[in-house]
mmCIF file of all heavy atoms in Angstrom:
data_model
loop_
_atom_site.group_PDB
_atom_site.id
_atom_site.type_symbol
_atom_site.label_atom_id
_atom_site.label_comp_id
_atom_site.label_asym_id
_atom_site.label_seq_id
_atom_site.Cartn_x
_atom_site.Cartn_y
_atom_site.Cartn_z
ATOM 1 N N LEU V 1301 -15.387 9.468 138.832
ATOM 2 C CA LEU V 1301 -15.908 8.312 139.495
ATOM 3 C C LEU V 1301 -14.767 7.381 139.893
ATOM 4 O O LEU V 1301 -13.636 7.543 139.403
ATOM 5 C CB LEU V 1301 -16.870 7.562 138.592
ATOM 6 C CG LEU V 1301 -18.231 8.261 138.459
ATOM 7 C CD1 LEU V 1301 -18.881 7.856 137.111
ATOM 8 C CD2 LEU V 1301 -19.105 7.878 139.604
ATOM 9 N N PRO V 1302 -14.925 6.391 140.780
ATOM 10 C CA PRO V 1302 -13.903 5.482 141.184
ATOM 11 C C PRO V 1302 -13.420 4.700 139.975
ATOM 12 O O PRO V 1302 -14.081 4.549 138.973
ATOM 13 C CB PRO V 1302 -14.584 4.561 142.170
ATOM 14 C CG PRO V 1302 -15.765 5.272 142.665
ATOM 15 C CD PRO V 1302 -16.237 6.183 141.521
ATOM 16 N N GLY V 1304 -12.622 1.546 139.806
ATOM 17 C CA GLY V 1304 -13.069 0.144 139.761
ATOM 18 C C GLY V 1304 -14.041 -0.100 140.932
ATOM 19 O O GLY V 1304 -14.642 0.778 141.409
ATOM 20 N N TYR V 1313 -19.266 -2.615 145.378
ATOM 21 C CA TYR V 1313 -20.112 -1.805 144.488
ATOM 22 C C TYR V 1313 -19.350 -1.443 143.201
ATOM 23 O O TYR V 1313 -18.223 -0.916 143.244
ATOM 24 C CB TYR V 1313 -20.466 -0.499 145.198
ATOM 25 C CG TYR V 1313 -21.318 -0.774 146.471
ATOM 26 C CD1 TYR V 1313 -20.719 -0.612 147.731
ATOM 27 C CD2 TYR V 1313 -22.652 -1.213 146.425
ATOM 28 C CE1 TYR V 1313 -21.464 -0.914 148.876
ATOM 29 C CE2 TYR V 1313 -23.353 -1.463 147.537
ATOM 30 C CZ TYR V 1313 -22.776 -1.288 148.776
ATOM 31 O OH TYR V 1313 -23.470 -1.578 149.881
ATOM 32 N N THR V 1314 -20.005 -1.696 142.100
ATOM 33 C CA THR V 1314 -19.472 -1.304 140.771
ATOM 34 C C THR V 1314 -19.745 0.211 140.636
ATOM 35 O O THR V 1314 -20.633 0.746 141.285
ATOM 36 C CB THR V 1314 -20.050 -2.049 139.630
ATOM 37 O OG1 THR V 1314 -21.490 -1.773 139.635
ATOM 38 C CG2 THR V 1314 -19.878 -3.567 139.735
ATOM 39 N N VAL V 1315 -18.986 0.766 139.671
ATOM 40 C CA VAL V 1315 -19.214 2.175 139.346
ATOM 41 C C VAL V 1315 -20.619 2.404 138.824
ATOM 42 O O VAL V 1315 -21.297 3.398 139.222
ATOM 43 C CB VAL V 1315 -18.171 2.675 138.255
ATOM 44 C CG1 VAL V 1315 -18.513 4.030 137.756
ATOM 45 C CG2 VAL V 1315 -16.797 2.588 138.866
ATOM 46 N N SER V 1316 -21.194 1.445 138.122
ATOM 47 C CA SER V 1316 -22.556 1.624 137.593
ATOM 48 C C SER V 1316 -23.561 1.583 138.747
ATOM 49 O O SER V 1316 -24.542 2.313 138.787
ATOM 50 C CB SER V 1316 -22.854 0.702 136.459
ATOM 51 O OG SER V 1316 -23.259 -0.505 136.905
ATOM 52 N N ALA V 1317 -23.324 0.700 139.708
ATOM 53 C CA ALA V 1317 -24.215 0.683 140.872
ATOM 54 C C ALA V 1317 -24.179 2.010 141.696
ATOM 55 O O ALA V 1317 -25.202 2.490 142.206
ATOM 56 C CB ALA V 1317 -23.866 -0.499 141.858
ATOM 57 N N ILE V 1318 -22.963 2.547 141.740
ATOM 58 C CA ILE V 1318 -22.809 3.870 142.462
ATOM 59 C C ILE V 1318 -23.571 4.989 141.729
ATOM 60 O O ILE V 1318 -24.260 5.762 142.355
ATOM 61 C CB ILE V 1318 -21.284 4.210 142.576
ATOM 62 C CG1 ILE V 1318 -20.609 3.142 143.542
ATOM 63 C CG2 ILE V 1318 -21.021 5.615 143.023
ATOM 64 C CD1 ILE V 1318 -19.068 3.129 143.451
ATOM 65 N N THR V 1319 -23.453 4.930 140.394
ATOM 66 C CA THR V 1319 -24.148 5.987 139.597
ATOM 67 C C THR V 1319 -25.656 5.805 139.740
ATOM 68 O O THR V 1319 -26.362 6.842 139.890
ATOM 69 C CB THR V 1319 -23.763 5.779 138.089
ATOM 70 O OG1 THR V 1319 -22.322 5.767 138.016
ATOM 71 C CG2 THR V 1319 -24.313 6.885 137.261
ATOM 72 N N VAL V 1320 -26.127 4.580 139.765
ATOM 73 C CA VAL V 1320 -27.541 4.354 139.903
ATOM 74 C C VAL V 1320 -28.007 4.912 141.249
ATOM 75 O O VAL V 1320 -29.095 5.560 141.336
ATOM 76 C CB VAL V 1320 -27.875 2.817 139.791
ATOM 77 C CG1 VAL V 1320 -29.280 2.494 140.298
ATOM 78 C CG2 VAL V 1320 -27.745 2.400 138.327
ATOM 79 N N ALA V 1321 -27.256 4.652 142.336
ATOM 80 C CA ALA V 1321 -27.691 5.132 143.639
ATOM 81 C C ALA V 1321 -27.664 6.651 143.732
ATOM 82 O O ALA V 1321 -28.583 7.284 144.288
ATOM 83 C CB ALA V 1321 -26.730 4.539 144.723
ATOM 84 N N ILE V 1322 -26.667 7.301 143.086
ATOM 85 C CA ILE V 1322 -26.598 8.756 143.142
ATOM 86 C C ILE V 1322 -27.791 9.344 142.347
ATOM 87 O O ILE V 1322 -28.489 10.230 142.789
ATOM 88 C CB ILE V 1322 -25.278 9.274 142.484
ATOM 89 C CG1 ILE V 1322 -24.097 8.937 143.410
ATOM 90 C CG2 ILE V 1322 -25.345 10.787 142.207
ATOM 91 C CD1 ILE V 1322 -22.732 9.255 142.811
ATOM 92 N N ASN V 1323 -28.063 8.734 141.176
ATOM 93 C CA ASN V 1323 -29.167 9.247 140.340
ATOM 94 C C ASN V 1323 -30.488 9.080 141.082
ATOM 95 O O ASN V 1323 -31.378 10.007 141.058
ATOM 96 C CB ASN V 1323 -29.196 8.547 139.010
ATOM 97 C CG ASN V 1323 -28.055 8.948 138.124
ATOM 98 O OD1 ASN V 1323 -27.385 9.968 138.383
ATOM 99 N ND2 ASN V 1323 -27.774 8.196 137.095
ATOM 100 N N ILE V 1365 -26.723 3.236 149.648
ATOM 101 C CA ILE V 1365 -26.459 2.344 148.523
ATOM 102 C C ILE V 1365 -26.586 0.912 149.056
ATOM 103 O O ILE V 1365 -26.001 0.634 150.158
ATOM 104 C CB ILE V 1365 -25.077 2.616 147.841
ATOM 105 C CG1 ILE V 1365 -24.871 1.651 146.629
ATOM 106 C CG2 ILE V 1365 -23.918 2.553 148.811
ATOM 107 C CD1 ILE V 1365 -23.755 2.069 145.689
#
Side-chain angles (χ1 to χ4, degrees):
L1301 284 157
Y1313 299 105
T1314 61
V1315 172
S1316 82
I1318 291 164
T1319 307
V1320 165
I1322 291 174
N1323 290 344
I1365 182 166

